[in-house]
Amino acid sequence: MSQKRRVWVIVVLVLAVLAFVGISTIPLLRSVVESNSQPSAVSTPNAQPSLSAEQQGQLEEQAKGYELVLQREPQNQTALRGLLEAKLRLGDVEGAIAPLETLAELNPDQPKFAVLLAQAREQTGDREGAAQAYRQILASQPGDINALQGLVALYIQQNRPEAAIGLLQETIKDAGQQNQTQPGRVDVSSVQLLLGEVYLSQQRFTEALTIYDELIEENPQDFRPVLAKALILRQQGKTEEAKPLFTTAVSLAPQEYKDQVKQLATLSEQPTPAPTASPDNNETPDFPEPLPEGAENP
């Protein structure tokens, strides 16, 4: 795994934990974007926000304080969350695993901690432990999109696209029964979109387009498959066909996502290189980033 990917995973973990703990992520996110902005539609951080010696010392002291509390009260969730935040701010992903394991055990109804645990295990090289954590989530919550995304990404990283496709197809197949038991348990459209992303990552454009066309027909008001189809056509250099789809996606997108969709639409004259189907190394290929969770049901 490259240093760039390692640092990016740390940043993602920090942002996610801060959101869970209830602390505003805006200052950290702004510093990441401002210090690592790139001339593209979406800025990707390529370096961890640096800490001054004073900040690092403060975080280390905070971590020690939380560890002392946990020696007396090993299930104190305030201390566990504080230790988790401090460890991740310090870039100590391995040190974050222990509090994450406890938080996941104490909060079985909140899969976000189990998802973070899986991500942390993957970051430290424990791919099997990461996969096990994702599978545990899916055993009780088969439609958890974060766990599905994580396990699918692991399969892609291991050059096992058929395993990823099989997982998603099985989830879609079982969705009817799952949603009968508990309505809304599996968001079929989101799982189908993720399946389309897997096809796209393997340059299986025809299969991806078939999924997006089906979704557009089933729910013409959902901007996500319209945007996805436009992006594929642009990747194929079919910019004229993509333009009206971008226009439709902009009109359908909820207000909070219109600017993002407009940014993508303005690039419609610039074909995007197709994703690499067979990576030359063991790094995770660039996996299409899912649309914001809040956009799942416009």
Side-chain angles (χ1 to χ4, degrees):
M1 184 178 293
S2 68
Q3 180 66 19
K4 177 179 179 180
R5 173 166 168 76
R6 175 180 175 82
V7 169
W8 172 231
V9 173
I10 290 174
V11 172
V12 171
L13 284 167
V14 170
L15 293 176
V17 169
L18 287 174
F20 296 157
V21 174
I23 300 174
S24 173
T25 65
I26 293 175
L28 177 58
L29 182 59
R30 183 182 299 121
S31 68
V32 171
V33 173
E34 288 178 353
S35 63
N36 299 286
S37 59
Q38 298 177 10
S40 61
V42 179
S43 295
T44 302
N46 57 18
Q48 184 181 7
S50 59
L51 297 172
S52 66
E54 181 181 0
Q55 288 173 322
Q56 182 163 340
Q58 289 175 346
L59 286 170
E60 289 172 349
E61 286 300 315
Q62 289 175 13
K64 289 178 183 176
Y66 289 126
E67 286 168 345
L68 289 173
V69 173
L70 291 169
Q71 287 177 12
R72 303 190 303 270
E73 306 173 54
Q75 295 188 346
N76 185 313
Q77 294 205 44
T78 300
L80 285 166
R81 294 179 189 220
L83 178 59
L84 179 57
E85 179 192 339
K87 289 292 186 182
L88 291 177
R89 280 184 172 274
L90 288 166
D92 182 7
V93 177
E94 187 170 353
I97 290 177
L100 271 173
E101 288 175 336
T102 305
L103 284 167
E105 291 174 4
L106 293 174
N107 300 277
D109 58 331
Q110 299 183 45
K112 57 193 178 186
F113 291 114
V115 169
L116 279 174
L117 174 59
Q119 292 174 346
R121 283 176 174 171
E122 181 186 358
Q123 175 62 20
T124 58
D126 184 9
R127 293 182 182 174
E128 184 51 43
Q132 181 181 1
Y134 287 129
R135 292 189 188 106
Q136 287 175 344
I137 299 169
L138 294 172
S140 59
Q141 301 190 48
D144 188 283
I145 198 65
N146 292 317
L148 283 170
Q149 287 172 341
L151 188 52
V152 162
L154 275 176
Y155 285 144
I156 297 297
Q157 184 176 356
Q158 295 167 344
N159 291 322
R160 297 176 60 197
E162 292 305 321
I165 291 167
L167 169 67
L168 296 173
Q169 288 177 334
E170 191 69 21
T171 302
I172 294 168
K173 178 182 175 183
D174 295 341
Q177 183 178 350
Q178 294 291 340
N179 288 337
Q180 269 190 338
T181 306
Q182 181 182 332
R185 193 175 193 188
V186 179
D187 184 341
V188 178
S189 294
S190 292
V191 180
Q192 287 177 307
L193 283 167
L194 184 54
L195 178 58
E197 290 173 359
V198 176
Y199 285 138
L200 180 57
S201 75
Q202 302 303 302
Q203 297 190 47
R204 292 165 65 170
F205 299 119
T206 300
E207 288 156 295
L209 285 170
T210 298
I211 288 177
Y212 297 140
D213 284 336
E214 289 174 357
L215 286 170
I216 291 169
E217 184 175 353
E218 290 169 6
N219 186 2
Q221 299 305 310
D222 189 344
F223 79 99
R224 297 174 300 163
V226 179
L227 178 58
K229 182 176 180 179
L231 291 170
I232 290 181
L233 292 176
R234 189 182 69 189
Q235 281 187 317
Q236 295 177 320
K238 300 176 181 178
T239 56
E240 292 304 314
E241 291 181 49
K243 282 180 181 179
L245 291 171
F246 278 117
T247 301
T248 301
V250 170
S251 67
L252 293 175
Q255 194 62 40
E256 61 267 34
Y257 303 120
K258 283 191 185 294
D259 287 341
Q260 292 170 276
V261 179
K262 285 179 181 177
Q263 283 182 323
L264 290 170
T266 58
L267 299 177
S268 60
E269 298 293 339
Q270 304 173 20
T272 305
T276 301
S278 302
D280 294 330
N281 50 41
N282 293 323
E283 291 186 27
T284 302
D286 289 339
F287 205 71
E289 184 175 346
L291 292 167
E293 185 176 350
E296 288 180 4
N297 293 294

